[in-house]
């Protein structure tokens, strides 16, 4: 048996989990310690399933899962001492106050940081003595985040943390996430539809679609690989068929070419074929995500 | 001072380049001097709320350009070297000239046309001065 890799916050190897209408298959994913990973995918891509597998809430049919060096789900309880997890659908006891919840969590987890918890109360603009049933949706999410952050977990897992937060709360949350990884032994995994947040704070980006990992790499490499080229194509010129070109759309005399492995030589190749490169554009993570998913679905269909 | 690094997500420059440019700018105007310590990668990442990997890339490139030095276990410093501000200003000028040359090519301007345009801009700037 392989010994656990202690430089990783978690690892999934060849993980499979099937449901009636959905299957996650052959999932390989690792997060090095000290990094933030963004899990991006459309609805039904398998983001929550991936997170539930990591949390030991469901068991895989095949493959290996380790969290902070512990096999999951077998030793999930041991791993979870240092893992905090927040999902939107989690509930607090409505009749109890946030202060009651804070005392409860503090009694279970010895790393609870009361000073930090009090700071977060102020920053998130929450009232400890208010029964949680009176909280708005955004306040509810902030209360759950407070309970998770003040445990000072080594791995923080957030399912859609920024949806439902107002811009000020989102700003505060992203600041807290960046404060956490000042410590290079702490790691964060979060799933999000908000590609702007992911593009800003994540070190690793994983794209999921329909239960498959479409792409994963460090963010800088990701953004550097993708480019969109605007071309002038004179009459009679045919664009060559090129590797690494994800999409070409053309109308009279103009073409837009998208590549996921941009090299400067591509321009020379196109110019030799008679096209003129009018502009080379960088792409936002959102544009890259959409192009990746469309390509992956195209490949699956053909 | 660390918190003064701010990046914009509507700026067409990628985030790592914005960080690089801000550090170069601080050196160019003398706010950071040769030998000065600059924030650690993780401290700057937290201050600017930008991923660690982005700051790492900015620092790596600044190091390769000889603008900063990282001493293992001691942090990163502005490289020792005279006329650094000068060099950076020269590099900045080159960047603007390259951009101008690209647009000139699109407009099919000759070198003489471009030089004449530059003279005109400089005359206009000189006249505007009080």
């Amino acid at each position: 048996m392989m010994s656990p890799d202690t430089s990783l916050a978690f690892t999934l190897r060849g993980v499979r989990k099937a449901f009636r209408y959905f299957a996650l298959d052959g999932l390989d994913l690792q997060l090095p310690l000290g990094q933030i990973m963004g899990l991006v995918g459309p609805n039904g891509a398998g983001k929550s399933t991936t997170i539930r597998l990591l949390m030991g809430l469901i068991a895989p049919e095949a493959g290996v899962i380790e969290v902070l060096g512990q096999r999951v789900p077998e030793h999930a309880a041991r791993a979870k001492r240092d893992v905090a997890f927040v999902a939107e659908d989690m509930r607090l006891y409505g009749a109890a106050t946030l202060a009651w919840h804070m005392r409860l969590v503090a009694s279970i987890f010895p790393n609870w940081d009361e000073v930090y918890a009090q700071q977060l109360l102020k920053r998130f603009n929450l009232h400890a003595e208010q029964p949680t049933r009176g909280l708005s949706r955004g306040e509810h999410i902030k209360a759950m985040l407070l309970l998770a952050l003040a445990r000072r977990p080594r791995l923080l897992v957030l399912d859609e943390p920024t949806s439902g937060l107002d811009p000020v709360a989102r700003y505060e949350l992203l600041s807290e996430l960046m404060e956490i990884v000042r410590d290079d032994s702490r790691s964060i995994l979060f799933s999000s539809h908000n590609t702007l947040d992911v593009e800003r704070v994540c070190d690793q980006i994983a794209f999921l679609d329909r239960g498959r990992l479409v792409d994963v790499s460090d963010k800088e490499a990701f953004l550097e690989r993708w480019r969109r080229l605007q071309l002038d194509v004179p009459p009679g010129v045919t664009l060559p068929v090129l590797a690494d070109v994800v999409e070409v759309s053309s109308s009279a005399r103009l073409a837009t070419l998208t590549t996921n492995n941009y090299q400067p030589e591509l321009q020379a190749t196109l110019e030799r074929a008679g096209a003129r490169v009018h502009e080379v554009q960088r792409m936002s993570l959102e544009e890259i995500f959409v192009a990746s998913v469309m390509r992956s679905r195209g490949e699956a269909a053909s | 001072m660390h918190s003064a690094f701010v990046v914009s997500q509507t700026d067409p420059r990628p985030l790592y380049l914005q960080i690089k440019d801000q550090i170069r700018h601080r050196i160019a105007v003398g706010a950071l001097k040769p030998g000065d310590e600059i924030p650690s990668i993780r401290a700057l990442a937290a201050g600017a709320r930008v991923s660690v990997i982005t700051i790492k890339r900015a620092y790596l490139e600044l190091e390769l350009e000889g603008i900063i030095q990282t001493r293992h276990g001691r942090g990163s410093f502005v490289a020792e070297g005279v006329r650094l501000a000068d060099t950076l200003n020269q590099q900045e000028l080159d960047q603007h000239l390259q951009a101008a040359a690209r647009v000139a090519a699109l407009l099919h301007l000759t070198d003489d046309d471009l030089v004449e345009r530059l003279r005109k801009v400089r005359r206009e700037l000189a006249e505007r001065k009080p």
Side-chain angles (χ1 to χ4, degrees):
Chain A
M1 198 182 124
M2 281 165 73
S3 62
D5 187 337
T6 50
S7 67
L8 295 174
F10 68 75
T11 175
L12 296 142
R13 283 196 301 272
V15 168
R16 176 179 164 77
K17 178 72 188 174
F19 299 95
R20 191 161 171 202
Y21 296 108
F22 169 79
L24 198 66
D25 208 4
L27 187 62
D28 286 299
L29 201 59
Q30 279 87 34
L31 176 62
L33 287 179
Q35 298 199 9
I36 304 183
M37 175 180 277
L39 202 54
V40 182
N43 295 322
K47 303 187 298 284
S48 294
T49 302
T50 304
I51 287 176
R52 286 162 68 207
L53 283 163
L54 278 171
M55 291 298 102
L57 300 173
I58 49 175
E61 279 138 35
V64 174
I65 303 173
E66 284 168 13
V67 176
L68 297 174
Q70 304 286 344
R71 279 291 289 264
V72 168
E74 295 86 343
H75 301 297
R78 221 180 291 166
K80 279 199 217 167
R81 277 181 227 153
D82 290 313
V83 180
F85 171 42
V86 175
E88 238 188 308
D89 56 4
M90 287 179 171
R91 288 286 161 263
L92 300 166
Y93 293 108
T97 62
L98 177 53
W100 180 88
H101 284 87
M102 288 163 69
R103 284 192 298 274
L104 175 71
V105 176
S107 72
I108 302 170
F109 298 100
N111 285 342
W112 178 264
D113 185 337
E114 183 61 25
V115 175
Y116 183 41
Q118 294 299 327
Q119 288 172 357
L120 288 172
L121 265 180
K122 287 205 192 72
R123 262 176 236 164
F124 286 166
N125 200 25
L126 292 166
H127 306 285
E129 298 309 328
Q130 184 181 2
T132 60
R133 84 157 66 83
L135 298 178
S136 70
R137 196 168 102 89
E139 286 167 339
H140 185 264
I141 298 169
K142 287 191 285 185
M144 310 262 292
L145 288 167
L146 180 151
L147 294 171
L149 291 168
R151 280 178 49 200
R152 298 276 188 201
R154 289 178 57 210
L155 173 62
L156 178 64
V157 179
L158 306 172
D159 199 355
E160 296 286 346
T162 57
S163 64
L165 292 182
D166 62 66
V168 177
R170 244 184 66 214
Y171 175 94
E172 293 288 1
L173 174 62
L174 294 183
S175 304
E176 293 311 322
L177 298 187
M178 292 313 302
E179 284 299 323
I180 290 173
V181 292
R182 262 183 198 260
D183 179 343
D184 63 10
S185 70
R186 295 185 195 275
S187 320
I188 301 169
L189 170 69
F190 78 88
S191 72
S192 186
H193 289 302
N194 189 324
T195 50
L196 269 183
D197 291 342
V198 172
E199 182 166 352
R200 180 163 190 131
V201 304
C202 288
D203 301 296
Q204 301 285 333
I205 292 170
F207 283 167
L208 276 180
D209 185 47
R210 297 180 176 173
R212 289 199 315 141
L213 188 64
V214 175
D215 207 344
V216 59
S217 82
D218 82 67
K219 180 187 68 185
E220 290 300 318
F222 226 117
L223 296 175
E224 213 44 54
R225 281 202 329 255
W226 287 78
R227 287 287 190 288
R228 202 168 33 215
L229 281 73
Q230 304 291 354
L231 309 173
D232 300 340
V233 187
V237 169
T238 317
L239 292 176
V241 176
L242 299 161
D244 305 321
V245 168
V246 174
E247 197 200 349
V248 182
S249 65
S250 51
S251 58
R253 305 206 53 173
L254 296 172
T256 302
L257 182 151
T258 308
T259 173
N260 67 349
N261 188 19
Y262 177 72
Q263 311 285 342
E265 299 86 76
L266 179 61
Q267 285 191 60
T269 309
L270 290 164
E271 306 248 352
R272 268 200 304 280
R276 197 162 44 236
V277 179
H278 174 64
E279 206 175 349
V280 180
Q281 299 168 325
R282 288 178 172 273
M283 295 168 69
S284 70
L285 190 63
E286 177 141 336
E287 294 170 317
I288 295 173
F289 173 57
V290 172
S292 296
V293 167
M294 297 312 270
R295 183 171 87 126
S296 155
R297 289 184 182 178
E299 278 174 359
S302 61
Chain B
M1 145 114 189
H2 300 179
S3 60
F5 286 89
V6 175
V7 296
S8 158
Q9 285 185 273
T10 53
D11 191 312
R13 288 171 304 167
L15 298 175
Y16 85 92
L17 215 53
Q18 294 183 45
I19 294 289
K20 266 183 80 178
D21 286 350
Q22 286 181 39
I23 293 174
R24 295 162 72 112
H25 181 70
R26 275 164 205 230
I27 298 170
V29 300
L32 282 172
K33 294 184 176 58
D36 280 358
E37 185 169 6
I38 58 173
S40 74
I41 289 172
R42 283 180 190 266
L44 182 46
R49 295 185 308 117
V50 175
S51 58
V52 170
I53 202 157
T54 298
I55 309 294
K56 249 183 208 163
R57 180 171 180 196
Y59 276 30
L60 194 67
E61 292 195 5
L62 287 169
E63 227 176 297
L64 289 172
E65 290 163 19
I67 293 167
I68 66 168
Q69 285 175 337
T70 298
R71 292 174 217 153
H72 189 69
R74 290 192 48 203
S76 297
F77 301 83
V78 179
E80 297 290 350
V82 283
R83 298 162 60 82
L84 195 59
D86 252 16
T87 316
L88 288 171
N89 282 330
Q90 298 280 5
Q91 285 176 3
E92 195 180 338
L93 177 61
D94 281 344
Q95 281 172 10
H96 289 298
L97 290 174
Q98 279 164 15
R102 273 195 293 272
V103 180
L106 287 175
L107 295 170
H108 304 292
L109 294 186
T110 64
D111 287 359
D112 288 344
D113 290 342
L114 184 58
V115 170
E116 190 41 52
R117 291 283 277 267
L118 181 61
R119 283 205 182 98
K120 188 169 158 243
V121 169
R122 284 179 61 111
R123 272 199 306 275
E124 284 166 1
L125 277 179
E127 282 160 17
R128 232 182 278 163
K129 274 187 185 150

